[in-house]
Amino acid sequence: MSAPRTARARVRAELTREIADAARRQLAESGAAGLSLRAVARELGMASSAVYRYFANRDELLTALIASAYDGIGAAAEAADAAVARGDHLGRWRAVGEAVRDWAQARPHEYALVYGSPVPGYAAPDSTVGPASRVVLALGANFADAARGGRLAPLAVPVSEPSGPLAAELAALLAGVPGGAEGVGAAAPDVVRRCLAAWTQLFGTVSFELFGQYAMVGHREEYVRHTLELTGVLLGLRAE
Amino acid sequence: MSAPRTARARVRAELTREIADAARRQLAESGAAGLSLRAVARELGMASSAVYRYFANRDELLTALIASAYDGIGAAAEAADAAVARGDHLGRWRAVGEAVRDWAQARPHEYALVYGSPVPGYAAPDSTVGPASRVVLALGANFADAARGGRLAPLAVPVSEPSGPLAAELAALLAGVPGGAEGVGAAAPDVVRRCLAAWTQLFGTVSFELFGQYAMVGHREEYVRHTLELTGVLLGLRAE
DNA sequence: CGTTTTCGAGAGCAGTGCTCTCACAGTAGA
DNA sequence: TCTACTGTGAGAGCACTGCTCTCGAAAACG
């Protein structure tokens, strides 16, 4: 992503972005399955075949949109987390949850693109795993901070700890989160499983709301807020 | 669904089923977006236009597949629940969870059709809400049974109860579960919110596993089992 | 300057959902 | 039983899709 040196390279980068933008607009209207390279070309007033100079095929265009969606949702989560006092772990969780939820509500098709059914015959390339983990890493930092400060409440009911290779594997994941595993010690597998559970609950809730599974609940927004709070508390997060 | 009286009606019902079966087969191979009416027609050796005598359009065919998927997953959940001792509430939860997970793993595309992104421009008709609620109703029966028997452990941490109209609405939902709200009393909103949280966590977990979000976890099946157990215990379910 | 690379446009292929028309076969009423 | 009706299958056709190929022009490079 260095600065384009020739005029040609500059206009190429610009056009690439314009195509992606038009595709995103069209995605918002018709969804992933309705995304048409020809329609994108029409909107930009160019021949459909010319688009193939910039994206080799539809999947490559989808990949660009997927990466940008992961980045957008990850940035929203990180910003929300950063805006809350470091020690208010429940507040940080709530903030990240609301941010993810609001982002999804504002861009349902982009959200569905990354957290809905995988596009058939399409495998996300490795370049998307980095952006894809930003949200869970933000959640993980919160849990790790709480554990480090001794402020992660013990699970109030007897639950078997993860054991054996699974425990080792979970503990190893902590090395990837900002702040790392220092100061967490033997609690690492427990901290990571709580984080993954929270992460799963968050996206399960957001998806269910967005995809219409909560049709039986009338006060949906209030319900979502309430259930996220419940999850955070049950998993040991506390306010300052 | 009465018995067809004329020969024509009989062969019509049969062909309708055959078309749906062929579509399901094709769905398993190419996913929802790759489901082609023409390919279905080819497989059955008939003209593509003839299929339209049985399903007005692609969406109607999809609706049939969606309904049958909901029914299949609901039946699997109910059967799993019924096979466990009524008083073993944690065991019932575990059984339903595993059943849903196994069903999804065996038929990923059918699962994605109902719990993945909604097909764009397609709205599920009312005829699918019945089958769609079978799983959550099975879970609800378990929670309600536990509450009735005084065996739903109180949440071990202070969590604000749902209040106001949301609480009333949650309580009202209990009327729909097998066994009803009798004997649950004032705990109804709490029981329902726990059930919905469990339901969300279950499908969040199954979807994340199926859609590849757990790529960082190597011992995935063990992890899924562990996290479902954790959820059940945290939400107050106990073994006999 | 000439050569090479890059790019846009157009035609074309194979496939899609869906509609329309037309001929035929099964059904029901006189 | 004959007739009118209705359900059904086949075929042609429309507008659309992703994608490939070729060709001429323009920009970049030596």
Side-chain angles (χ1 to χ4, degrees):
Chain A
M1 297 292 170
S2 60
R5 290 182 314 175
T6 72
R8 200 170 231 169
R10 195 173 315 117
V11 72
R12 182 174 226 291
E14 230 167 83
L15 207 48
T16 306
R17 206 176 36 73
E18 266 182 58
I19 291 173
D21 286 349
R24 215 180 337 262
R25 266 195 302 277
Q26 200 184 304
L27 182 73
E29 283 173 16
S30 353
L35 177 64
S36 151
L37 269 181
R38 289 181 116 109
V40 169
R42 259 196 309 275
E43 186 178 328
L44 299 182
M46 65 200 302
S48 70
S49 58
V51 177
Y52 286 86
R53 300 280 182 194
Y54 299 86
F55 294 92
N57 48 41
R58 222 191 88 150
D59 279 4
E60 204 168 276
L61 180 53
L62 272 181
T63 298
L65 298 184
I66 286 174
S68 98
Y70 273 131
D71 259 326
I73 209 166
E78 288 166 10
D81 179 78
V84 178
R86 298 293 78 195
D88 181 4
H89 302 293
L90 187 59
R92 286 169 68 182
W93 156 254
R94 226 189 283 117
V96 171
E98 301 253 341
V100 168
R101 189 239 176 213
D102 291 347
W103 194 97
Q105 291 285 329
R107 300 162 191 80
H109 288 108
E110 276 187 84
Y111 178 88
L113 191 60
V114 288
Y115 289 104
S117 351
V119 180
Y122 168 83
D126 293 347
S127 60
T128 63
V129 310
S133 3
R134 288 174 70 173
V135 174
V136 69
L137 288 182
L139 294 177
N142 188 22
F143 275 91
D145 286 353
R148 244 190 304 279
R151 307 198 52 253
L152 187 64
L155 294 183
V157 280
V159 189
S160 64
E161 293 286 323
S163 59
L166 178 61
E169 186 180 292
L170 292 179
L173 287 177
L174 207 56
V177 313
E182 266 94 287
V184 177
D190 177 52
V191 171
V192 174
R193 78 165 166 180
R194 293 199 209 187
C195 168
L196 291 182
W199 179 53
T200 305
Q201 178 79 35
L202 168 57
F203 282 94
T205 303
V206 170
S207 295
F208 262 19
E209 184 190 11
L210 201 64
F211 298 165
Q213 301 283 356
Y214 286 147
M216 75 288 247
V217 181
H219 302 78
R220 224 156 299 162
E221 193 171 340
E222 192 187 345
Y223 168 74
V224 168
R225 239 192 297 271
H226 180 86
T227 197
L228 286 183
E229 167 112 13
L230 175 65
T231 299
V233 171
L234 283 181
L235 289 172
L237 297 176
R238 296 288 180 271
E240 204 136 24
Chain B
M1 295 292 171
S2 61
R5 290 182 314 174
T6 71
R8 200 172 234 171
R10 193 173 316 117
V11 73
R12 181 175 229 290
E14 232 166 81
L15 241 174
T16 306
R17 207 177 33 76
E18 266 181 58
I19 291 174
D21 287 347
R24 215 181 336 265
R25 266 194 303 278
Q26 201 185 305
L27 182 72
E29 284 172 17
S30 355
L35 176 64
S36 150
L37 269 181
R38 288 180 117 113
V40 169
R42 260 197 310 273
E43 185 178 328
L44 298 183
M46 65 200 300
S48 69
S49 57
V51 177
Y52 286 85
R53 300 282 180 193
Y54 299 86
F55 294 92
N57 48 43
R58 223 186 78 123
D59 280 3
E60 204 168 276
L61 180 54
L62 272 180
T63 298
L65 297 184
I66 286 174
S68 99
Y70 273 131
D71 260 325
I73 210 168
E78 288 165 10
D81 179 79
V84 179
R86 300 293 77 194
D88 182 3
H89 301 294
L90 187 59
R92 287 169 68 182
W93 156 254
R94 227 189 284 117
V96 171
E98 302 253 341
V100 168
R101 190 239 175 217
D102 292 347
W103 194 97
Q105 291 285 330
R107 299 164 192 79
H109 287 107
E110 276 188 84
Y111 177 87
L113 191 61
V114 290
Y115 288 104
S117 353
V119 180
Y122 167 83
D126 292 348
S127 60
T128 62
V129 309
S133 6
R134 287 175 70 174
V135 174
V136 68
L137 288 182
L139 294 177
N142 188 22
F143 275 91
D145 286 354
R148 246 191 304 279
R151 307 198 50 253
L152 188 64
L155 293 184
V157 279
V159 189
S160 64
E161 294 286 323
S163 59
L166 177 61
E169 186 183 291
L170 292 178
L173 287 177
L174 208 57
V177 311
E182 264 94 287
V184 176
D190 178 51
V191 171
V192 173
R193 77 164 167 180
R194 293 201 209 185
C195 168
L196 292 182
W199 178 54
T200 304
Q201 178 80 35
L202 168 57
F203 282 94
T205 303
V206 171
S207 295
F208 261 19
E209 184 189 12
L210 201 65
F211 297 164
Q213 302 282 355
Y214 286 145
M216 74 288 250
V217 181
H219 301 78
R220 225 156 299 163
E221 192 169 343
E222 192 189 345
Y223 168 74
V224 168
R225 238 192 298 272
H226 180 87
T227 196
L228 286 183
E229 168 112 12
L230 176 64
T231 300
V233 171
L234 282 182
L235 289 172
L237 297 176
R238 295 288 178 271
E240 205 138 25

